[in-house]
Amino acid sequence: MIKILIVDDEKWTRETIKQFGKWDQYGIEIIGEAGDGQEGLRLIEQRSPDIVITDMKMPGVDGMELLQIMADRFPQVQLIVASGYDDFNFMRQAIRSRVNEYLLKPINAEELNLALEKCINEIKSSSQTQFYKPISFSSKDISALIMEYKKTITSFLQELNIDGFENVIHRYFNEFKKVTGVDSNVIAKIEHEFILTLEELMIKNNFNVHEVFENNGELNSEFDLSLDRVMKKQQDLGKRYIEYMIDINKRKSKLNLEEIKEYIERNFADIDISLEVLANKFFVSKEYLSKTFKNVYGCNITEFIVSRRMEYAKKLLQGKEFQIKSIAQMVGYEDISYFYRVFKKYFKTSPGEMRQG
């Protein structure tokens, strides 16, 4: 039997999941349920489930933290998120943790069972092949190079710059070949980080993977790959993503400010979002975009991004669930001191004072 654990602070949600699941048909046994992430972790350690269904917002250890821990300590467990929040930060963490499905509440029986089927197929597939476990690198040079590579290719993919993307792929893979200690696990990690980057970009642009790639299996990690094969695969997938985005944007006959505004609403927490990135993405000059946006909405692009970040930061501060440093990162600021300055200028009070008062 396949074992499943349900983690949600709302009892009615746990009962709904238990009622909707086709447990006997799929050969699944519910081995327990937990009302928060801490209890969920204890049961995971004790009972070793194959599948975990978890909420995102819970007291104590919430879903964000639980997914991070699961990705590090229990990468073999299949994950399904059942959340009442259509939130990009939650979805981004779900992607990073290789969640199988992100279901929105109220739970739909058909969607739940499709997610269960997907998990079962993954379990069967992983039992027939070597399971890749994310690794902690002993070499800080390799770790730093991979993260630098991911950040650089993300920039070129966002700019839809094919030539720049292909050039940077060649440059970094030549660097990987020179570094001592690049074994099969490191190559798998390079591939893993690239696929996560593509998935994040598709979520940000509100595309289903099947719209961009005919075969979702192309995004699956493979084993026994050489650096040259991984480089070729990443070149092909990245180029096809950029060509798809360029084609979509060229089909637009005129500037759609509402679409740009909606894009910002979904992605304001992205550290790299800016007037220049948006202008490149929607094939319009920075000057024209800035002027037209301000005429329609009464503020320029940068002001609008800041306003969305600040209002979301205020909401998170009122919830008192996250540290101020974490909130700064969640709304797009790596430098917490800069976040403090922007916040105080916007609200005329500091984040700490707002939380206290």
Side-chain angles (χ1 to χ4, degrees), residues 202 206-214 244 248:
M202 284 184 282
N206 203 28
F207 291 131
N208 188 296
V209 64
H210 297 290
E211 297 177 72
V212 185
F213 300 102
E214 293 180 5
Y244 178 86
I248 288 292

Side-chain angles (χ1 to χ4, degrees), residues 5-9 14 34-37 40 52-55 58 66:
L5 176 72
I6 304 169
V7 185
D8 197 299
D9 62 327
R14 301 198 302 270
D36 58 63
V52 170
I53 301 178
T54 181
D55 189 13
M58 298 180 290
L66 179 61

Side-chain angles (χ1 to χ4, degrees), residues 123 177 191 199 251 338:
I123 291 169
K177 291 176 181 179
E191 185 189 17
E199 289 179 323
R251 279 188 257 156
Y338 182 62

Side-chain angles (χ1 to χ4, degrees), residues 16-61:
T16 299
I17 291 172
K18 288 190 290 185
Q19 178 182 349
F20 283 169
K22 299 177 181 178
W23 313 115
D24 292 337
Q25 179 178 327
Y26 295 141
I28 297 176
E29 175 190 4
I30 300 174
I31 60 167
E33 54 185 282
D36 58 63
Q38 187 66 43
E39 175 67 7
L41 279 174
R42 186 182 67 80
L43 292 176
I44 290 166
E45 291 172 348
Q46 288 181 353
R47 304 181 186 180
S48 302
D50 301 297
I51 303 171
V52 170
I53 301 178
T54 181
D55 189 13
M56 290 301 280
K57 293 201 72 173
M58 298 180 290
V61 176

Side-chain angles (χ1 to χ4, degrees), residues 234-288:
Q234 294 186 5
Q235 280 180 319
D236 291 344
L237 291 175
K239 184 177 179 180
R240 283 164 57 193
Y241 169 80
I242 292 173
E243 289 174 342
Y244 178 86
M245 291 298 301
I246 290 174
D247 182 60
I248 288 292
N249 289 322
K250 282 184 175 178
R251 279 188 257 156
K252 299 170 184 173
S253 58
K254 60 181 180 179
L255 181 63
N256 188 332
L257 283 178
E258 186 62 29
E259 183 180 2
I260 294 174
K261 181 172 176 286
E262 289 176 0
Y263 180 86
I264 297 172
E265 292 277 6
R266 292 196 307 270
N267 299 292
F268 64 83
D270 189 333
I271 292 171
D272 298 318
I273 194 170
S274 66
L275 172 61
E276 183 174 3
V277 167
L278 291 167
N280 289 333
K281 175 176 175 56
F282 291 95
F283 294 91
V284 63
S285 72
K286 293 188 295 183
E287 294 75 18
Y288 179 67

Side-chain angles (χ1 to χ4, degrees), residues 62-319:
D62 66 0
M64 292 272 282
E65 187 176 352
L66 179 61
L67 290 182
Q68 292 172 347
I69 295 171
M70 293 293 294
D72 290 337
R73 293 174 54 191
F74 309 100
Q76 75 282 4
V77 177
Q78 304 299 311
L79 299 170
I80 297 173
V81 167
S83 175
Y85 296 87
D86 187 5
D87 183 284
F88 176 68
N89 287 305
F90 288 166
M91 290 185 177
R92 180 165 55 183
Q93 182 57 56
I95 290 171
R96 288 174 175 168
S97 301
R98 299 187 68 80
V99 165
N100 289 75
E101 200 62 69
Y102 193 104
L103 305 178
L104 288 175
K105 297 178 181 178
I107 299 298
N108 176 280
E110 182 178 359
E111 291 178 354
L112 172 64
N113 286 295
L114 286 173
L116 291 173
E117 286 185 18
K118 185 176 179 182
C119 289
I120 292 169
N121 290 333
E122 288 290 336
I123 291 169
K124 290 178 179 178
S125 175
S126 64
S127 67
Q128 297 170 0
T129 186
Q130 175 186 358
F131 188 85
Y132 163 63
K133 179 180 179 180
I135 57 176
S136 298
F137 297 112
S138 57
S139 167
K140 66 178 182 180
D141 293 333
I142 295 176
S143 297
L145 187 59
I146 290 177
M147 299 317 295
E148 180 186 328
Y149 168 65
K150 182 177 180 180
K151 185 174 182 179
T152 305
I153 60 171
T154 300
S155 175
F156 282 104
L157 288 169
Q158 287 178 324
E159 293 172 6
L160 307 182
N161 184 338
I162 289 181
D163 290 338
F165 171 75
E166 292 185 327
N167 289 336
V168 83
I169 286 272
H170 276 289
R171 177 162 63 86
Y172 273 96
F173 272 81
N174 285 334
E175 291 296 318
F176 288 133
K177 291 176 181 179
K178 297 176 184 177
V179 178
T180 302
V182 177
D183 56 15
S184 60
N185 280 336
V186 174
I187 294 173
K189 181 66 174 177
I190 294 168
E191 185 189 17
H192 174 74
E193 292 295 337
F194 179 82
I195 297 303
L196 287 185
T197 298
L198 277 183
E199 289 179 323
E200 287 184 11
L201 289 172
M202 284 184 282
I203 289 289
K204 285 171 58 178
N205 287 288
N206 203 28
F207 291 131
N208 188 296
V209 64
H210 297 290
E211 297 177 72
V212 185
F213 300 102
E214 293 180 5
N215 178 13
N216 188 10
E218 294 175 277
L219 300 179
N220 292 336
S221 294
E222 302 175 33
F223 301 97
D224 300 323
L225 289 181
S226 66
L227 276 173
D228 287 334
R229 287 181 63 191
V230 170
M231 181 181 73
K232 179 65 166 58
K233 177 180 179 180
Q234 294 186 5
Q235 280 180 319
D236 291 344
L237 291 175
K239 184 177 179 180
R240 283 164 57 193
Y241 169 80
I242 292 173
E243 289 174 342
Y244 178 86
M245 291 298 301
I246 290 174
D247 182 60
I248 288 292
N249 289 322
K250 282 184 175 178
R251 279 188 257 156
K252 299 170 184 173
S253 58
K254 60 181 180 179
L255 181 63
N256 188 332
L257 283 178
E258 186 62 29
E259 183 180 2
I260 294 174
K261 181 172 176 286
E262 289 176 0
Y263 180 86
I264 297 172
E265 292 277 6
R266 292 196 307 270
N267 299 292
F268 64 83
D270 189 333
I271 292 171
D272 298 318
I273 194 170
S274 66
L275 172 61
E276 183 174 3
V277 167
L278 291 167
N280 289 333
K281 175 176 175 56
F282 291 95
F283 294 91
V284 63
S285 72
K286 293 188 295 183
E287 294 75 18
Y288 179 67
L289 174 57
S290 181
K291 180 180 179 181
T292 308
F293 192 94
K294 187 167 186 175
N295 287 340
V296 173
Y297 297 112
C299 63
N300 63 38
I301 293 281
T302 301
E303 291 169 341
F304 185 69
I305 293 171
V306 169
S307 71
R308 296 303 301 119
R309 288 176 168 180
M310 293 300 101
E311 294 301 329
Y312 189 51
K314 177 181 177 181
K315 179 179 177 181
L316 293 174
L317 283 166
Q318 292 172 337

